[in-house]
Amino acid sequence: MSLIPSFFGNRRSNNVFDPFSLDVWDALKDFPVSTRSPETSDFVDARIDWRETPEAHVFKADVPGLKKEEVKVEVEDDRVLQISGERNVEKEDKNDTWHRLERSSGKFMRRFRLLENVKMDQVKASMENGVLTVTVPKMEVKKPDVKAIDISG
């Protein structure tokens, strides 16, 4: 029999309370909790992939439905790349009857601190089919000169 079965639920088959268990009790798991408000939406958290190639850092952001004029790519403090934008709510006509409103709107902003080996003055951005691609070239790493030394003896 469990020590506190009603408090911790029936997560284990033997129903024994284990104070050293890594299972964490979630007091709100049965309550519908939403952190969304009219000011925030799924669009606020624009999904961005960041990959590094030998030549550059490449960022790809999904911004469906936005025009390039509605997206900003900026460089701050010589090493911070900022990608931001806004999708406005569609104009409402009083004669229209809305059955569903699922497309998100709102602002988004993502910032990335880059390493020192980047050429921030050569950042390029392009947008195609709702995908923003930002390329930040890397500086060439100078390989150290290695000289072989003959061993005498």
Side-chain angles (χ1 to χ4, degrees):
M1 181 171 196
S2 172
L3 295 175
I4 312 175
S6 62
F7 187 67
F8 287 98
N10 293 325
R11 291 183 300 199
R12 294 179 188 79
S13 59
N14 60 5
N15 289 335
V16 175
F17 173 67
D18 180 4
F20 300 106
S21 172
L22 295 178
D23 288 341
V24 177
W25 177 67
D26 183 5
L28 300 175
K29 76 174 181 157
D30 295 325
F31 296 107
V33 177
S34 175
T35 57
R36 293 178 68 180
S37 69
E39 293 81 30
T40 62
S41 68
D42 292 333
F43 192 67
V44 172
D45 298 324
R47 304 289 185 203
I48 298 179
D49 295 337
W50 175 7
R51 76 181 155 100
E52 183 176 355
T53 68
E55 297 82 29
H57 293 272
V58 180
F59 297 85
K60 289 197 177 226
D62 287 339
V63 289
L66 289 184
K67 299 174 191 146
K68 67 179 185 177
E69 296 81 21
E70 298 171 318
V71 178
K72 281 200 268 184
V73 178
E74 300 171 311
V75 175
E76 291 182 359
D77 300 327
D78 292 330
R79 284 197 353 231
V80 177
L81 177 68
Q82 179 174 301
I83 301 171
S84 61
E86 180 175 7
R87 177 182 293 145
N88 296 319
V89 178
E90 199 169 305
K91 202 175 194 181
E92 223 178 281
D93 187 354
K94 299 220 184 247
N95 297 326
D96 291 344
T97 301
W98 288 85
H99 294 282
R100 216 177 234 329
L101 185 60
E102 294 184 343
R103 294 186 312 144
S104 56
S105 61
K107 295 180 181 182
F108 73 92
M109 180 179 72
R110 299 289 303 273
R111 298 174 62 162
F112 302 92
R113 180 169 300 282
L114 299 172
L115 302 174
E116 293 178 7
N117 67 340
V118 295
K119 299 177 182 177
M120 293 303 280
D121 57 335
Q122 295 179 17
V123 175
K124 293 188 182 186
S126 64
M127 197 152 86
E128 186 177 337
N129 296 327
V131 178
L132 171 71
T133 302
V134 180
T135 305
V136 184
K138 291 167 55 175
M139 292 181 195
E140 293 180 25
V141 178
K142 185 180 177 189
K143 296 179 182 178
D145 293 332
V146 178
K147 182 180 176 185
I149 307 296
D150 289 333
I151 301 172
S152 61

